[in-house]
Amino acid sequence: MTIHSVLLAEPRGFCAGVDRAIEIVEKALLKFGAPIYVRHEIVHNNFVVDALKKKGAVFVEDLNDVPPGATLIFSAHGVSRTVQQEAQARGFSIFDATCPLVTKVHVEVAKLHKEGYEFIMIGHKGHPEVEGTLGQIDSGIHLVESVADVASLRPAQTERLAVVTQTTLSVDDTAEILAVVKDKFPTVRQPKQQDICYATQNRQDAVKLLSNQVDIVIVVGSPTSSNSTRLQELAHRMGADSYMVDSATELQPQWFVGKSSVGLTAGASAPEVLVQEVITQLRLMGAVSVRKMNGLLENTKYPLPKGLRSSS
């Protein structure tokens, strides 16, 4: 084994939206007791979900699995209007853990829809955030996953056409698709502020810098995490060998043969405890130096819903 040094990406790991979503579940458990029902995994990380299950959170995909009178939390990814309306009609006590940056996209879609806009959404089919955004309106929203998808777009009209995106995409891939959309529909309305969230952008920027300084990049994150997967893909695109692991137990010694420097980062839904476990394992494999990159310090914090704040 030839590992000598580990370079930590800055920033990495939890973002403000994930912090808030997990805190909502934990505060609800403390205030109302178990079980607390959560519609979909609160964030896409197996360690986080398993820890909350042990405390009494029950994760469901179907509202039929939530008993009458229960407390229900919507995941950080957001939900469609249909799910919101059904949950309200069933009389659940509801707390919304949707990331505020996802909510911003929902609000924009609803507002522009009233003004007669159709939408092109850049995102991954089947991802819960995409399902939630598509479900904000009944029709007139077209999902594209790639440059190739743009060619087959046939909106009913092009005078009022707007683009929105999933918040956890690759910044570069999204820019490429958006350029093709603008070429085909020159008057398309772009988001006022880029929909890709600050944390996704910051972590991708850090991986670009990291990848040029190391022989191999390890991304801590679960396979279901879109933003973690994009980090692994980006490191690979930058020319570094790259792997994603859910935990330190998934590290494979053969990955590190002939590699002296290891870059380490974590997706926005991966807790720092998992990063530290990977560092411990890398030290056992020979790493003698662990240092942090210079990087942005994130200090964003989002308020909890009324009813879960300390003063309430």
Side-chain angles (χ1 to χ4, degrees):
M1 202 65 61
T2 54
I3 299 173
H4 180 268
S5 63
V6 178
L7 184 58
L8 297 172
E10 287 288 338
R12 65 179 183 278
F14 277 2
C15 62
V18 166
D19 268 333
R20 174 180 178 270
I22 294 168
E23 191 178 357
I24 286 171
V25 179
E26 290 178 333
K27 285 271 172 77
L29 283 163
L30 281 173
K31 186 163 184 175
F32 305 109
I36 295 292
Y37 290 81
V38 185
R39 205 272 187 178
H40 193 68
E41 293 184 348
I42 188 68
V43 297
H44 283 158
N45 183 269
N46 295 329
F47 178 89
V48 170
V49 168
D50 288 344
L52 291 172
K53 279 181 183 173
K54 285 175 186 161
K55 293 179 181 178
V58 179
F59 296 92
V60 301
E61 296 299 325
D62 191 328
L63 295 186
N64 287 322
D65 296 329
V66 184
T71 297
L72 175 68
I73 295 171
F74 296 143
S75 82
H77 313 95
V79 298
S80 67
R81 276 191 321 158
T82 304
V83 170
Q84 287 177 327
Q85 289 163 357
E86 185 187 341
Q88 286 162 356
R90 290 180 177 226
F92 302 133
S93 176
I94 301 166
F95 292 98
D96 190 354
T98 302
C99 172
L101 296 176
V102 175
T103 300
K104 177 178 82 73
V105 176
H106 290 183
V107 169
E108 186 77 352
V109 166
K111 174 177 163 286
L112 292 179
H113 179 61
K114 284 180 183 167
E115 296 174 19
Y117 275 82
E118 276 190 71
F119 298 90
I120 297 165
M121 178 168 195
I122 303 172
H124 296 297
K125 188 176 182 180
H127 189 279
E129 182 193 326
V130 170
E131 296 294 312
T133 300
L134 294 176
Q136 295 306 304
I137 54 179
D138 298 327
S139 62
I141 187 162
H142 312 273
L143 180 64
V144 296
E145 297 187 87
S146 65
V147 165
D149 288 345
V150 178
S152 59
L153 274 176
R154 299 285 183 273
Q157 50 80 30
T158 58
E159 280 125 46
R160 296 198 166 200
L161 194 59
V163 175
V164 292
T165 83
Q166 182 181 336
T167 62
T168 53
L169 296 178
S170 156
V171 176
D172 295 337
D173 288 351
T174 304
E176 188 182 354
I177 296 169
L178 186 56
V180 177
V181 169
K182 280 158 58 182
D183 192 49
K184 183 169 181 176
F185 306 107
T187 61
V188 72
R189 177 185 175 129
Q190 295 177 70
K192 279 186 193 166
Q193 291 176 298
Q194 191 184 37
D195 288 342
I196 292 172
C197 88
Y198 75 92
T200 298
Q201 174 89 54
N202 291 348
R203 279 150 192 71
Q204 289 179 20
D205 288 347
V207 162
K208 285 180 182 178
L209 293 172
L210 181 72
S211 301
N212 293 327
Q213 300 176 58
V214 296
D215 300 318
I216 180 174
V217 173
I218 301 298
V219 178
V220 180
S222 292
T224 47
S225 166
S226 174
N227 76 84
S228 301
T229 303
R230 303 292 84 76
L231 293 176
Q232 191 264 323
E233 291 172 350
L234 179 59
H236 179 74
R237 191 180 301 163
M238 296 297 295
D241 283 356
S242 61
Y243 301 91
M244 187 165 70
V245 297
D246 223 352
S247 69
T249 59
E250 295 182 2
L251 293 170
Q252 304 292 320
Q254 64 267 27
W255 295 347
F256 303 96
V257 174
K259 316 285 188 196
S260 67
S261 56
V262 179
L264 182 56
T265 189
S269 48
E272 180 63 15
V273 63
L274 298 181
V275 175
Q276 294 305 318
E277 287 174 3
V278 169
I279 291 171
T280 299
Q281 187 62 30
L282 291 173
R283 285 190 189 278
L284 291 172
M285 294 164 76
V288 292
S289 154
V290 178
R291 64 185 180 86
K292 290 181 184 177
M293 277 174 50
N294 290 326
L296 286 172
L297 182 66
E298 294 176 345
N299 52 19
T300 303
K301 186 155 175 61
Y302 297 126
L304 295 176
K306 257 200 258 185
L308 290 179
R309 293 172 198 163
S310 301
S311 57
S312 57

